[in-house]
Amino acid sequence: MRLPILTLTAIATLFVAADAGAQTYDPRYPVCMHVYSPGGRGGGGDYYDCSFTSVPQCRATASGRSASCDVNPYYAFDEPPPAPRRRHKKVH
């Protein structure tokens, strides 16, 4: 009885301790800048800055940096609602 409880406790501890990935893309902006940041001793990383409304705006900010501009795959396009269907009256 002791072994199954210890096993379940160990598994639960692993799930709780695992890192949760945060959402890296902001769906309110159509363009994201992917910034590559080197780090010492293998501690480098990269991140996304999704606060740009156009690719030229992003490129101006990324100029001179180790970064690239990408289209946001999660951008919530403001699509107009579909036009209402026209009904035709039946003539008898």
Side-chain angles (χ1 to χ4, degrees):
M1 182 68 183
R2 235 174 153 191
L3 186 60
I5 292 175
L6 290 175
T7 303
L8 288 175
T9 303
I11 292 172
T13 303
L14 289 175
F15 281 119
V16 171
D19 290 337
Q23 182 177 353
T24 56
Y25 297 98
D26 187 348
R28 296 176 293 171
Y29 295 96
V31 180
C32 295
M33 180 172 60
H34 186 181
V35 181
Y36 307 96
S37 58
R41 300 183 189 162
D46 54 343
Y47 63 93
Y48 288 90
D49 178 8
C50 295
S51 61
F52 301 98
T53 57
S54 68
V55 173
Q57 178 191 26
C58 177
R59 286 184 180 158
T61 305
S63 178
R65 300 171 71 178
S66 178
S68 65
C69 296
D70 303 314
V71 174
N72 186 350
Y74 299 103
Y75 176 62
F77 290 98
D78 293 330
E79 295 181 17
R85 293 181 58 182
R86 296 183 69 187
R87 290 186 159 179
H88 298 284
K89 292 184 178 181
K90 292 182 180 178
V91 178
H92 289 273

